[in-house]
Each structure stands twice: as C-alpha cells, then as structure tokens.
C-alpha cells in the first residue's frame, strides 16, 4: 500500500528540485550576459538577486539560499576571471561574493512572511521583501568589502585609503537604491502572478 504522506513528500521534493534547477539556470544565464551584471565603469548594478528572492518567497528559505549560493559562485567566478573591473579582486573572497548572497533568500522569505501577516497584501509584501533582500545584498557585500579590503578597494578606484568609508557609502546609496527599487518592483509583480497560479 502506497503511503500518501510519502507520495506527497516526494512530489514536494521533486517540485523543489525542479524550481532550484530552473532558477539556478536563470542565474547562470544572467551571469553570462550584460543584463545580469550591468557594468558601469568599475561598478556593477546586478539583477542577479531577483531569482534568489523569487525562490525564497515562493519555495522557502532553503531554496532561496541554494539559488543565492549559485549567484555567489558566479560572482566569485567573475572576480577570478577578471570580468568584474578593477575592484573584482574583492569578489574572489567567498565572504564577499558568496556569504551575503546566501542571506538574500533567507531575508526575502521571512520578510515576505512577516509582511503578509501584518499587511495581508501579496503585492505590497513582495515589494517589501524585494527591497529588504536587495538591501541585504548591498549591505552584506559592501560591509564585507569595508571590513576586509577598505584601503585596497579605495586605491583600486584611484582614491586614498581614508576615503574608503565615504566611497562605499556613496556606492550603497546609488547602486543600492537602484537595485532595491528595481528588485522590489520586479519581484512583487512576479510573486503576485506565481501565487495566483499556485505553481
């Protein structure tokens, strides 16, 4: 006799693996085209957070964290391959390139869940979750750069070591705001569609 619980669990696991594979494939594809990392001089605005956020919100923190790991590994590869500009050396360190990206999926899931409890609106909760997860990426990456490479990072951009803090704050407010707004709008729209279709 087939155990219904075991059958349901198997279906959930297959579905989860399928979504991880799909979102990971999208992340890898984005990393290979200019849309994934929009390079503006030495800086890059990334859309790579979006699959991570969607995975976290739709399928839970574990899926989001796995897709975030893929994002982080592509970022590390870009640093190693010299594709990330003059400051790319910082992304060779997984504490900069990988660790903050794993937390994107975690933050997107819990901020969406909490927002839904309070607001009970999928679109607004998606906006909040997308914004919070994007800020997590910005603060995590730039924070680790400041802690580990502040002086070297500033020098790579032709600035003195003493300007590192102001330099990173400037990047956080320009790149960070653009990424947070873009990510929030796209993620909220996608989440509304996916939640309605109950994929």
């Amino acid at each position: 006799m087939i155990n219904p619980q075991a059958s349901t669990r198997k279906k959930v696991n297959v579905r989860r693996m399928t979504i991880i594979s799909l979102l990971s494939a999208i992340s890898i594809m984005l990393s290979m085209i200019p849309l994934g990392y929009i390079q503006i001089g030495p800086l890059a605005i990334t859309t790579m957070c979006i699959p991570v956020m969607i995975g976290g919100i739709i399928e839970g923190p574990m899926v989001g964290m796995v897709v975030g790991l893929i994002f982080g590994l592509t970022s590390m590869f870009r640093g190693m391959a010299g594709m990330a500009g003059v400051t790319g050396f910082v992304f060779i360190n997984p504490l900069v390139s990988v660790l903050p990206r794993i937390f994107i999926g975690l933050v997107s899931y819990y901020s969406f869940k909490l927002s839904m409890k309070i607001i009970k609106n999928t679109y607004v909760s998606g906006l909040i979750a997308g914004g919070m997860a994007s800020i997590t990426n910005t603060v995590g990456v730039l924070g680790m750069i400041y802690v580990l490479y502040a002086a070297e990072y500033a020098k790579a951009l032709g600035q003195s070591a003493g300007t590192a803090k102001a330099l990173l704050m400037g990047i956080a407010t320009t790149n960070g705001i653009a990424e947070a707004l873009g990510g929030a709008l796209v993620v909220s729209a996608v989440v509304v569609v996916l939640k309605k279709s109950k994929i």
Side-chain angles (χ1 to χ4, degrees), residues 27-60:
S27 295
I28 292 166
M29 184 192 72
L30 281 173
S31 74
M32 295 177 176
I33 60 175
L35 188 60
Y37 295 93
I38 303 164
Q39 202 75 33
I40 304 169
L43 309 177
I45 294 174
T46 182
T47 59
M48 296 283 291
C49 295
I50 293 170
V52 184
M53 297 175 200
I54 292 169
I57 292 168
I58 298 300
E59 280 300 317

Side-chain angles (χ1 to χ4, degrees), residues 147-192:
V147 170
L148 299 171
Y149 298 108
E152 296 96 323
Y153 189 83
K155 285 176 184 174
L157 292 174
Q159 305 291 323
S160 66
T163 65
K165 187 175 181 180
L167 185 63
L168 289 165
M169 285 296 291
I171 294 169
T173 53
T174 52
N175 284 34
I177 290 171
E179 286 177 7
L181 286 173
L185 289 169
V186 173
V187 167
S188 57
V190 172
V191 166
V192 166

Side-chain angles (χ1 to χ4, degrees), residues 90-182:
V90 301
F91 295 103
I92 296 171
N93 189 331
L95 293 176
V96 176
S97 57
V98 179
L99 185 63
R101 275 64 191 264
I102 291 173
F103 282 105
I104 297 170
L106 201 65
V107 170
S108 60
Y109 171 76
Y110 285 109
S111 55
F112 182 80
K113 193 173 180 182
L114 181 61
S115 299
M116 281 298 287
K117 275 186 180 178
I118 298 167
I119 301 166
K120 296 178 173 54
N121 182 291
T122 305
Y123 183 77
V124 175
S125 297
L127 281 174
I128 292 168
M132 290 297 293
S134 187
I135 289 167
T136 298
N137 176 56
T138 300
V139 171
V141 171
L142 295 181
M144 291 305 275
I145 290 171
Y146 181 71
V147 170
L148 299 171
Y149 298 108
E152 296 96 323
Y153 189 83
K155 285 176 184 174
L157 292 174
Q159 305 291 323
S160 66
T163 65
K165 187 175 181 180
L167 185 63
L168 289 165
M169 285 296 291
I171 294 169
T173 53
T174 52
N175 284 34
I177 290 171
E179 286 177 7
L181 286 173

